[in-house]
Amino acid sequence: MGAKTVNKLAVPGATLHYEVAGSGPVLLLIAGGGTDAGIFTGMVGQLAAEYTVVTYDPRGNSRSRYDGDATDECVEQSAEDALALIDAVGGGAAGEPAYVFGSSSGAITGLELITRHPDRVRMLIAHEPPCTEILPDADDARAFFDEVYDTYRTDGLTAADVVFMMGTGMDGDAMPPLEDLLPEYRELAERMQANGANFYQHKLLPFTRYQPDLDALKRVADRIVPAAGLESFAHLPGRPIAVIADHVGWPVVMFPGGHGGYSSHPAPFATHLAHLLKTDTV
């Protein structure tokens, strides 16, 4: 695998913390929600045997600080952040296009990235993007996320967590108490827990309100792999990918675990991801 390097990249309005391991074609892993680069730790070693694996803290999360006050997320800017990282690691816009894996809001970033810059993405594995506006019952989904946001505003973080986890089917994904974790995992958990307020305040609604350009995605259907977790595809965050899959004409590829299967089942998840990347014939 070689040494992991830790780097900083200035982008408009923020400075991104990113980490690079391995060698070979660039594989960008985009974390979702309030998580950061550390959520992929269990997969990086395996993937870095064949790829230059790039992980990062999305703007506003953990070590990727805003330049000024926090602002509501802009999905277009999130996609430009991902592009800036691909260019920084892969030799600029003239470099080879990158493989991209994104989960949850990270998958939404990936969808916007391939829409805006299709020539820079070799393959996108979009794992459960919660762009619920494309669902037949979008009104119900919108009302639910509004309830989560309002609960955060009125009753605080812990109450919002309960509503969010129960309504998204992720109540079984709750982490054990911090004191029960190994020190390195405790540090990661504490870092990500500290992102909760910013997630509810500035990221939840902009991402879940995102409207993917389905026609644009259809034009690059040969480079999109719709993906979901075996244990979570029927729940709210997992359902939109089925609509996208129908539109681009591909079946949904099932991964081990649930919405955060890359963290709960890292070895089989990484094996499955590596197998998918090998199907690239470009």
Side-chain angles (χ1 to χ4, degrees), residues 27 109 119-120 124 126 132 140 146 157 165 208 237 250 253 262:
L27 169 60
T109 297
D119 57 321
R120 303 299 291 127
L124 167 66
T132 51
D140 292 340
D146 282 341
L157 196 56
M165 300 292 263
T208 57
W250 293 112
V253 175
Y262 46 85

Side-chain angles (χ1 to χ4, degrees), residues 15 42-43 56 58 64 77 83 103 128 150 181 184 198 202 229 257:
T15 301
M43 295 205 303
Y56 69 105
S64 288
Q77 182 60 63
L83 177 69
S103 187
E128 299 198 0
D150 292 341
L181 295 173
E184 61 268 30
N198 190 60
H202 296 298

Side-chain angles (χ1 to χ4, degrees), residues 176-182 186:
L178 288 177
E179 59 268 19
D180 293 345
L181 295 173
L182 293 170
R186 189 181 307 142

Side-chain angles (χ1 to χ4, degrees), residues 37 66 71 95 119 123 138 140 166 268 281:
Y66 297 120
T71 55
D119 57 321
M123 179 189 290
D140 292 340
M166 294 290 287
T281 56

Side-chain angles (χ1 to χ4, degrees), residues 208-257:
T208 57
R209 295 285 199 273
Y210 174 71
Q211 294 262 17
D213 185 337
L214 294 174
D215 291 335
L217 296 178
K218 194 169 187 174
R219 289 194 288 273
V220 290
D222 60 328
R223 280 177 275 155
I224 296 176
V225 178
L230 272 168
E231 299 168 12
S232 54
F233 70 95
H235 293 296
L236 187 58
R239 290 172 52 215
I241 197 61
V243 178
I244 293 172
D246 285 345
H247 206 83
V248 300
W250 293 112
V252 177
V253 175
M254 292 298 170
F255 274 79

Side-chain angles (χ1 to χ4, degrees), residues 4-275:
K4 176 182 78 172
T5 62
V6 177
N7 311 272
K8 297 287 185 185
L9 179 66
V11 291
T15 301
L16 302 178
H17 168 102
Y18 73 101
E19 302 174 5
V20 182
S23 60
V26 173
L27 169 60
L28 179 68
L29 306 180
I30 309 179
T35 68
D36 64 34
I39 203 73
F40 296 122
T41 297
M43 295 205 303
V44 168
Q46 195 171 332
L47 295 168
E50 296 186 70
Y51 299 93
T52 300
V53 181
V54 183
T55 56
Y56 69 105
D57 300 355
R59 66 168 57 217
N61 288 8
S62 301
R63 298 153 296 190
S64 288
R65 303 292 185 190
Y66 297 120
D67 288 347
D69 293 336
T71 55
D72 285 352
E73 190 74 27
C74 169
V75 177
E76 293 81 4
Q77 182 60 63
S78 184
E80 294 300 320
D81 289 351
L83 177 69
L85 287 163
I86 291 171
D87 287 347
V89 176
E96 289 291 315
Y99 294 103
V100 178
F101 169 84
S103 187
S104 194
S105 58
I108 287 177
T109 297
L111 291 172
E112 182 64 14
L113 173 65
I114 200 169
T115 298
R116 294 168 71 88
H117 304 284
D119 57 321
R120 303 299 291 127
V121 179
R122 189 163 170 177
M123 179 189 290
L124 167 66
I125 296 93
H127 184 265
E128 299 198 0
C131 42
T132 51
E133 290 292 321
I134 61 176
L135 293 174
D137 54 346
D139 289 349
D140 292 340
R142 197 179 312 121
F144 165 70
F145 289 121
D146 282 341
E147 180 190 1
V148 174
Y149 177 79
D150 292 341
T151 301
Y152 165 71
R153 298 279 298 191
T154 56
D155 300 319
L157 196 56
T158 303
D161 280 343
V162 172
V163 176
F164 181 71
M165 300 292 263
M166 294 290 287
T168 55
M170 288 192 280
D171 43 312
D173 295 348
M175 294 191 70
L178 288 177
E179 59 268 19
D180 293 345
L181 295 173
L182 293 170
E184 61 268 30
Y185 292 113
R186 189 181 307 142
E187 179 190 351
L188 172 63
E190 288 174 342
R191 205 170 62 218
M192 294 193 302
Q193 279 188 356
N195 297 327
N198 190 60
F199 168 68
Y200 288 127
Q201 180 75 26
H202 296 298
K203 298 190 178 223
L204 176 70
L205 297 186
F207 273 111
T208 57
R209 295 285 199 273
Y210 174 71
Q211 294 262 17
D213 185 337
L214 294 174
D215 291 335
L217 296 178
K218 194 169 187 174
R219 289 194 288 273
V220 290
D222 60 328
R223 280 177 275 155
I224 296 176
V225 178
L230 272 168
E231 299 168 12
S232 54
F233 70 95
H235 293 296
L236 187 58
R239 290 172 52 215
I241 197 61
V243 178
I244 293 172
D246 285 345
H247 206 83
V248 300
W250 293 112
V252 177
V253 175
M254 292 298 170
F255 274 79
H259 193 60
Y262 46 85
S263 178
S264 62
H265 299 67
F269 201 104
T271 298
H272 200 41
L273 178 56
H275 175 73

